[in-house]
PDB file of all heavy atoms in Angstrom:
ATOM      1  N   ALA E  53     122.530  -0.028   1.736  1.00 39.00           N
ATOM      2  CA  ALA E  53     122.931   1.260   2.259  1.00 39.00           C
ATOM      3  C   ALA E  53     124.442   1.388   2.392  1.00 39.00           C
ATOM      4  O   ALA E  53     124.954   2.443   2.717  1.00 39.00           O
ATOM      5  CB  ALA E  53     122.280   1.482   3.617  1.00 39.00           C
ATOM      6  N   ALA E 298     154.992  -9.706   3.824  1.00 96.00           N
ATOM      7  CA  ALA E 298     156.034  -9.152   2.942  1.00 96.00           C
ATOM      8  C   ALA E 298     157.390  -9.750   3.276  1.00 96.00           C
ATOM      9  O   ALA E 298     157.692 -10.071   4.424  1.00 96.00           O
ATOM     10  CB  ALA E 298     156.081  -7.635   3.067  1.00 96.00           C
ATOM     11  N   LEU E 546     157.452 -10.371 -12.911  1.00 98.00           N
ATOM     12  CA  LEU E 546     156.321  -9.453 -12.848  1.00 98.00           C
ATOM     13  C   LEU E 546     155.060 -10.145 -12.332  1.00 98.00           C
ATOM     14  O   LEU E 546     154.302  -9.554 -11.551  1.00 98.00           O
ATOM     15  CB  LEU E 546     156.056  -8.823 -14.220  1.00 98.00           C
ATOM     16  CG  LEU E 546     157.220  -8.012 -14.799  1.00 98.00           C
ATOM     17  CD1 LEU E 546     156.785  -7.287 -16.062  1.00 98.00           C
ATOM     18  CD2 LEU E 546     157.784  -7.016 -13.798  1.00 98.00           C
ATOM     19  N   PRO E 598     177.808 -28.262 -17.819  1.00 95.00           N
ATOM     20  CA  PRO E 598     178.665 -27.064 -17.824  1.00 95.00           C
ATOM     21  C   PRO E 598     179.550 -26.939 -19.063  1.00 95.00           C
ATOM     22  O   PRO E 598     179.677 -25.854 -19.632  1.00 95.00           O
ATOM     23  CB  PRO E 598     179.513 -27.240 -16.561  1.00 95.00           C
ATOM     24  CG  PRO E 598     178.686 -28.095 -15.669  1.00 95.00           C
ATOM     25  CD  PRO E 598     177.916 -29.003 -16.573  1.00 95.00           C
ATOM     26  N   GLU E 680     170.354  -5.356 -32.132  1.00 98.00           N
ATOM     27  CA  GLU E 680     171.265  -4.212 -32.105  1.00 98.00           C
ATOM     28  C   GLU E 680     170.610  -2.967 -31.552  1.00 98.00           C
ATOM     29  O   GLU E 680     171.286  -2.061 -31.071  1.00 98.00           O
ATOM     30  CB  GLU E 680     171.808  -3.940 -33.509  1.00 98.00           C
ATOM     31  CG  GLU E 680     172.821  -5.015 -33.905  1.00 98.00           C
ATOM     32  CD  GLU E 680     173.287  -4.909 -35.334  1.00 98.00           C
ATOM     33  OE1 GLU E 680     172.846  -3.986 -36.053  1.00 98.00           O
ATOM     34  OE2 GLU E 680     174.088  -5.774 -35.735  1.00 98.00           O
TER      35      GLU E 680
END
Side-chain angles (χ1 to χ4, degrees):
L546 300 188
E680 287 174 1

